[in-house]
Amino acid sequence: MNRRVVITGLGSITAGGHGAVGLRQTLRQGRPLLSNIERFNGHASGTRDAGQVQDFKVREWMKPMLARQMDRGTHFAFAAFQLCLQDAGIETQDIEPLRTGIMLGNAIGGMDFGESQMYAQRMFGPQGVSTYQAIAWFYAAAIGQISIGLGIKGYSKAFVADRISSLNALGQAFRVVQEGRADLCLTGGCEAPLVPFVYHAMECSGRLSASRYLPFDHDGDGFLLGEGACFLAFEEYEHAVERGATIYGEVLGYASTTDPTVGNYELSSAEDLARAVSLATDQAGGGAIDLVAADGCGRAADDLEEIAALKMALGNDFSGAAWTAPKATVGELYGAGNAVQAATAALALRHQETYPLVCGNNTMDLPFAAEADDAELQRALIVGRANGGMNAALVLGTCPAAI
Amino acid sequence: MKQQQQRRVVVTGIGAVSAGGIGVEALWQAVQEGRSLGREMDHFDMAGYKTWIGAYLDHEVLREGRHGIEPGDEARWDRSTLLGLVAAREAFSQLGLEGVEATRCGCCVGTAIGGVGHMEEMFYDSILPEDDLDEDEPPDYVRLKNDIQMDWLHGYLCSTTSLEIARLHGLRGPVSCVSTGCTAGVDAIGFAIEAIRRGDADLMVTGATEAPITPVSLTAFDRIDAVSRRNNRPDKASRPFDRDRDGFLIAEGAGILVLEERQSALRRGAPILGELVGFGTNCNAHHMTGIDANGLLLAKSMELALEDAGIPAADIDYINAHGSSTPQNDRAETSAYKLIFGERAYQIPISSTKSIIGHPLGAASALELVVCVESIRKGWVHPTANLENDDEACDLDYVPGQGREHAMSWIISNASGFSGLHSAVILEKGAAQ
């Protein structure tokens, strides 16, 4: 007796610009928008490129007094959330408070705010620390600020699970709408990891590339980070149709699995990843996958495993799928990265097009497009992989009534 | 009835680490005695803090070689992960995963602030000593201490406790972490209930863990006067529903529950300690740290839980309150109970477990549910400690002084937290096997 869940809006703030239009433009161009990290101001030696949000003025989204209470990641979330509502054609006053939720993925928390305050504590003692520390750092901060700002009172949660945080959030949002606990759930993630201390920790984890972020390239040695936020509006089908919403696509299946045998900074075996994909595609009622919005973490050995897992899970259908790895254009948004992949898949389904891959000289043998192209797409798969062997997979489809 | 149409979720194991000590029995003994466990903290230099009291384990309790803690574990993980692992060991019955597929077993242990303590240590280790710091010049960690192997990411991430439990017990299903401040425990449990009902898993390890007695975390609460300043009488500091309450008592702990699909549990002969029949949650869109005095949205979260359980409010026999001992929470909570239960609110016993073990943030509601499982099985409700002076805004039966025998079929346990989140869960006395 499950209800149908459709995607009726997108909103993002990334290096790839603002909103669905900005993201689509970036994806179509397929050029990486990563550059030397300006915020470090020459500090943190050895720093490399990252996807940095440009032309973002906090005051356009909130009052300065409110902005001071928030971490940079929450600023992005606050803005991306509103862009998502706009794109979905929902005015703030039309929100049904108790039937609307926020489901957010975030891995690092408000460390931009937190780092400065830890420093202040060392310099001036506890009383030198901001009174906003308690509400700026923790993981549900963005949920609180958004719900207060927009009057949202429904089922709202924050998920933390390394790089699959936001896919966990999307999965839960799907369930909550499907099972009737909300009619609308804006879901995605936010992350602001371009903080010297966080950046160094990421480097120490060994997952960052020493040069370029080249997904599915035999020379790839890791990803580069990005900052930003990305939300998708998951809405109950009848609810969406009734208000005449534009539908990007339908959410059809979600699953999550774990490989408990790998190390702290290693990814799951192909078998356990394949299991997540199979569970999600089965739930979606089978059918061929036409587009893979891949994790593409940029380390060759892991990307080969991702390919192997999809071969395992999709069988004969594997060769029919187009591939895209959108995080290479805007950087890996870490706890929010999967939301960017999902937004990419939703755009591709809506506009029936594929996006080019950021390519090096030694790209793996996969059906990657060199340029954005028209395509007939029915189903898209989003793959999520996290350190310590956590996996998740989400299946989206075109919504028949919408075409 | 809703619940007859769906897979049912039973509790088959519980584990606890609290200021009362290691184990459910130590927790139960503490709530039976009904005395607050608040005391002075000496974990770090308390100079500059307005509050230096909390509730915590004796320092020597959690050391390598004890409770399954192996050499290096303390350095490898945050203390919250250690606490979670110890509680999880207890919660797993001797059956372990026997008779259930590892791929059908998952883990979702919540936390409010996760590995903050571990991260702080890394931070302060990697910056210059105080005297050499320059106010205008932020540190360059890489240049300063490039030799430090900063493995803080794994220790810091909130999902690490779930992941380490999954590794230890070989769980291959969904592993995640719900991190929603002080409602994280109920929220993680709610997530687990839903996962089992819909068939994503047959067994979920859930609950929450917290180790917030760290310099930075204490500062955060100290700066906004959220914690009690009754430093001269730490044993009187946590006094929920008492007129003279002045904030919560910071604490550490972990409460872990093993939940299973009922048929699967029966098939493999797992002990059924109770059934979780309802979960409800919302947020109040009111204030980041405040709560609406009339308790309207708080009541709504409990209504949603009742609706989910398919039982009327009249069936609830006992309430395990959030009861944080902050002036505003206890008043709002009392109002919310009156909204839901009407005149009957005066007849339902209500306890605040935080009056005894303090407030371990996200772990509080998980430990409280562990207490509820014991209460419903034993037919006994624990007192609210330190309830000495009447507050006219808090005029319900909070079981002052002594605990009492009380037969129960359904318990509601609720939680509130920063960001205006409210959640509630309903426990039903498990039918005999």
Side-chain angles (χ1 to χ4, degrees), chain A residues 85-165:
Chain A
L85 277 178
Q86 279 170 24
D87 189 51
I90 299 169
E91 302 283 339
T92 311
Q93 66 267 21
D94 295 335
I95 291 172
E96 300 158 78
L98 291 165
R99 299 295 298 165
T100 305
I102 307 163
M103 218 66 80
L104 179 87
N106 173 260
I108 305 299
M111 277 295 288
D112 189 42
F113 195 100
E115 187 187 54
S116 68
Q117 298 310 311
M118 289 196 295
Y119 197 66
Q121 176 147 353
R122 173 58 64 89
M123 296 285 292
F124 311 112
Q127 301 310 320
V129 171
S130 164
T131 50
Y132 297 127
Q133 168 82 336
I135 59 163
W137 186 342
F138 79 124
Y139 303 84
I143 289 180
Q145 297 289 9
I146 293 168
S147 66
I148 294 165
L150 299 169
I152 289 168
K153 298 177 178 175
Y155 194 126
S156 302
K157 299 289 161 249
F159 287 84
V160 178
D162 193 60
R163 292 197 302 121
I164 62 163
S165 304

Side-chain angles (χ1 to χ4, degrees), chain B residues 79-126:
Chain B
R79 185 171 171 87
S80 61
T81 298
L82 279 185
L83 301 180
L85 281 167
V86 170
R89 273 196 192 90
E90 183 187 15
F92 260 97
S93 70
Q94 291 181 333
L95 264 182
L97 295 189
E98 199 186 310
V100 55
E101 288 282 333
T103 54
R104 302 285 303 154
C105 301
C107 185
C108 181
V109 172
T111 184
I113 61 171
V116 159
H118 180 87
M119 185 274 296
E120 276 174 53
E121 273 175 45
M122 296 283 165
F123 179 84
Y124 289 119
D125 273 358
S126 63

Side-chain angles (χ1 to χ4, degrees), chain A residues 42-46 69 98 102 107-111 114-115 117-119 121-145 147-148 150-162 164 168 172 175-176 178-179 181 195-205 254 256-265 269 272 275 279 283 334 387-390, chain B residues 47-50 76-77 103 108 111-116 119-120 122-130 133-135 137-143 145-146 148-159 163-164 166-167 170-181 183 187 190-191 194 198 200 215-216 219-224 279 281-289 297 300 418-423:
Chain A
H43 283 284
S45 47
Q69 307 179 10
L98 291 165
I102 307 163
I108 305 299
M111 277 295 288
E115 187 187 54
Q117 298 310 311
M118 289 196 295
Y119 197 66
Q121 176 147 353
R122 173 58 64 89
M123 296 285 292
F124 311 112
Q127 301 310 320
V129 171
S130 164
T131 50
Y132 297 127
Q133 168 82 336
I135 59 163
W137 186 342
F138 79 124
Y139 303 84
I143 289 180
Q145 297 289 9
S147 66
I148 294 165
L150 299 169
I152 289 168
K153 298 177 178 175
Y155 194 126
S156 302
K157 299 289 161 249
F159 287 84
V160 178
D162 193 60
I164 62 163
N168 280 182
Q172 184 69 358
R175 307 306 204 189
V176 161
Q178 190 180 47
E179 292 164 14
R181 290 188 295 280
V195 180
F197 185 56
V198 176
Y199 191 87
H200 186 39
M202 292 287 181
E203 283 196 310
C204 291
S205 79
Y254 169 80
S256 174
T257 64
T258 307
D259 176 359
T261 64
V262 299
N264 292 352
Y265 302 110
S269 69
D272 285 298
R275 199 155 49 79
L279 286 167
Q283 227 175 69
Y334 220 77
N387 284 328
M390 295 181 284
Chain B
Y49 291 94
K50 290 178 278 189
R76 189 173 313 143
W77 301 315
T103 54
C108 181
T111 184
I113 61 171
V116 159
M119 185 274 296
E120 276 174 53
M122 296 283 165
F123 179 84
Y124 289 119
D125 273 358
S126 63
I127 65 174
L128 290 171
E130 212 164 340
L133 286 180
D134 181 343
E135 196 180 331
E137 189 80 349
D140 178 345
Y141 310 99
V142 187
R143 184 170 50 81
K145 284 279 184 77
N146 216 3
I148 290 189
Q149 185 50 47
M150 288 217 302
D151 180 13
W152 71 259
L153 189 60
H154 181 66
Y156 173 63
L157 284 171
C158 290
S159 45
L163 194 54
E164 292 296 345
R167 284 171 169 179
L171 317 178
R172 308 188 85 99
V175 171
S176 185
C177 170
V178 181
S179 184
T180 43
T183 60
D187 288 340
F191 178 85
E194 289 168 3
R198 78 171 73 93
D200 286 349
V216 168
T219 294
F221 297 112
D222 190 83
R223 289 289 288 135
I224 56 170
F279 171 66
T281 184
N282 63 2
C283 54
N284 65 29
H286 174 66
H287 192 270
M288 282 301 282
T289 58
L297 268 296
K300 184 71 193 170
F418 284 6
S419 282
L421 298 165
H422 302 306
S423 298

Side-chain angles (χ1 to χ4, degrees), chain B residues 193-240:
Chain B
I193 293 171
E194 289 168 3
I196 293 173
R197 277 185 181 168
R198 78 171 73 93
D200 286 349
D202 293 329
L203 181 151
M204 289 290 291
V205 182
T206 184
T209 187
E210 210 78 72
I213 302 178
T214 78
V216 168
S217 143
L218 180 61
T219 294
F221 297 112
D222 190 83
R223 289 289 288 135
I224 56 170
D225 303 325
V227 277
S228 168
R229 295 215 194 126
R230 207 176 289 265
N231 294 305
N232 56 341
R233 283 304 300 273
D235 59 326
K236 295 286 182 190
S238 186
R239 43 194 318 114

Side-chain angles (χ1 to χ4, degrees), chain A residues 123-394:
Chain A
M123 296 285 292
F124 311 112
Q127 301 310 320
V129 171
S130 164
T131 50
Y132 297 127
Q133 168 82 336
I135 59 163
W137 186 342
F138 79 124
Y139 303 84
I143 289 180
Q145 297 289 9
I146 293 168
S147 66
I148 294 165
L150 299 169
I152 289 168
K153 298 177 178 175
Y155 194 126
S156 302
K157 299 289 161 249
F159 287 84
V160 178
D162 193 60
R163 292 197 302 121
I164 62 163
S165 304
S166 59
L167 204 45
N168 280 182
L170 265 66
Q172 184 69 358
F174 168 44
R175 307 306 204 189
V176 161
V177 176
Q178 190 180 47
E179 292 164 14
R181 290 188 295 280
D183 296 325
L184 173 69
C185 192
L186 269 66
T187 178
C190 67
E191 203 80 87
L194 303 183
V195 180
F197 185 56
V198 176
Y199 191 87
H200 186 39
M202 292 287 181
E203 283 196 310
C204 291
S205 79
R207 307 285 339 178
L208 293 195
S209 165
S211 53
R212 294 173 65 196
Y213 183 0
L214 297 173
F216 301 103
D217 189 290
H218 290 287
D219 301 327
D221 64 342
F223 56 77
L224 292 172
L225 288 167
E227 60 176 357
C230 182
F231 279 96
L232 296 92
F234 283 12
E235 188 169 356
E236 194 273 323
Y237 175 71
E238 300 288 345
H239 192 269
V241 169
E242 223 161 85
R243 67 178 188 86
T246 304
I247 294 174
Y248 282 78
E250 184 167 0
V251 190
L252 298 170
Y254 169 80
S256 174
T257 64
T258 307
D259 176 359
T261 64
V262 299
N264 292 352
Y265 302 110
E266 290 170 5
L267 306 184
S268 156
S269 69
E271 287 78 9
D272 285 298
L273 177 59
R275 199 155 49 79
V277 173
S278 297
L279 286 167
T281 49
D282 285 354
Q283 227 175 69
I289 294 293
D290 306 308
L291 176 72
V292 178
D295 175 50
C297 76
R299 187 190 280 174
D302 287 317
D303 287 350
L304 285 168
E305 284 276 292
E306 188 173 351
I307 295 170
L310 266 73
K311 273 187 181 151
M312 240 179 257
L314 302 180
N316 291 336
D317 291 335
F318 173 82
S319 51
W323 284 57
T324 177
K327 291 185 288 194
T329 56
V330 296
E332 166 60 294
L333 268 66
Y334 220 77
N338 295 150
V340 173
Q341 292 165 252
T344 302
L347 283 165
L349 287 172
R350 174 170 169 191
H351 298 289
Q352 294 289 296
E353 61 189 10
T354 53
Y355 306 114
L357 182 82
V358 174
C359 280
N361 299 322
N362 205 357
T363 306
M364 293 169 191
D365 184 24
L366 278 171
F368 290 119
E371 288 172 23
D373 205 356
D374 292 343
E376 272 183 44
L377 307 173
Q378 291 290 324
R379 288 193 172 195
L381 170 73
I382 292 101
V383 181
R385 312 179 75 191
N387 284 328
M390 295 181 284
N391 305 305
L394 182 76

Side-chain angles (χ1 to χ4, degrees), chain A residues 10-12 16-28 83 87 248 347 350-351:
Chain A
L10 298 182
S12 68
H18 300 191
V21 174
L23 183 63
R24 184 175 171 217
Q25 212 165 29
T26 298
L27 292 167
R28 286 186 63 90
L83 285 169
D87 189 51
Y248 282 78
L347 283 165
R350 174 170 169 191
H351 298 289

